[in-house]
Amino acid sequence: MELAKLELNDKIFKKLEKNNINSIEKLWNLDRKTLKKMNFSYDEINSIAIKLQLEGLDLNKRKNLK
């Protein structure tokens, strides 16, 4: 699935592109620690987690919520 579906802000989207994360599946396979190493802030990571949850995906437990 396309990252655009998550409607992340431009700053987050650009950081993801810079790190070659171009799909929801790739993003979902990352954990919080990895995102932190990619220089995402706590708030940015939480925003990503919430957007994934709205799509039925849990960043923390890597399970499909739907």
Side-chain angles (χ1 to χ4, degrees):
M1 283 188 275
E2 293 288 323
L3 278 178
K5 185 175 181 181
L6 295 180
E7 299 178 4
L8 297 165
N9 73 39
D10 287 339
K11 185 177 177 184
I12 294 173
F13 190 75
K14 286 178 183 175
K15 280 187 183 181
L16 291 170
E17 282 185 328
K18 181 180 175 186
N19 288 287
N20 200 29
I21 308 301
N22 51 17
S23 70
I24 292 175
E25 290 82 6
K26 282 186 176 182
L27 177 58
W28 186 45
N29 284 316
L30 302 175
D31 59 12
R32 287 177 175 269
K33 191 180 288 187
T34 304
L35 289 169
K36 188 69 176 167
K37 288 178 184 175
M38 293 178 176
N39 293 318
F40 285 93
S41 71
Y42 177 80
D43 290 335
E44 290 171 331
I45 294 169
N46 283 338
S47 178
I48 290 168
I50 290 167
K51 296 289 187 170
L52 285 171
Q53 287 173 354
L54 291 172
E55 291 299 317
L57 302 170
D58 190 342
L59 181 66
N60 300 316
K61 297 183 180 153
R62 303 261 193 325
K63 64 181 177 182
N64 193 328
L65 300 175
K66 288 185 179 178

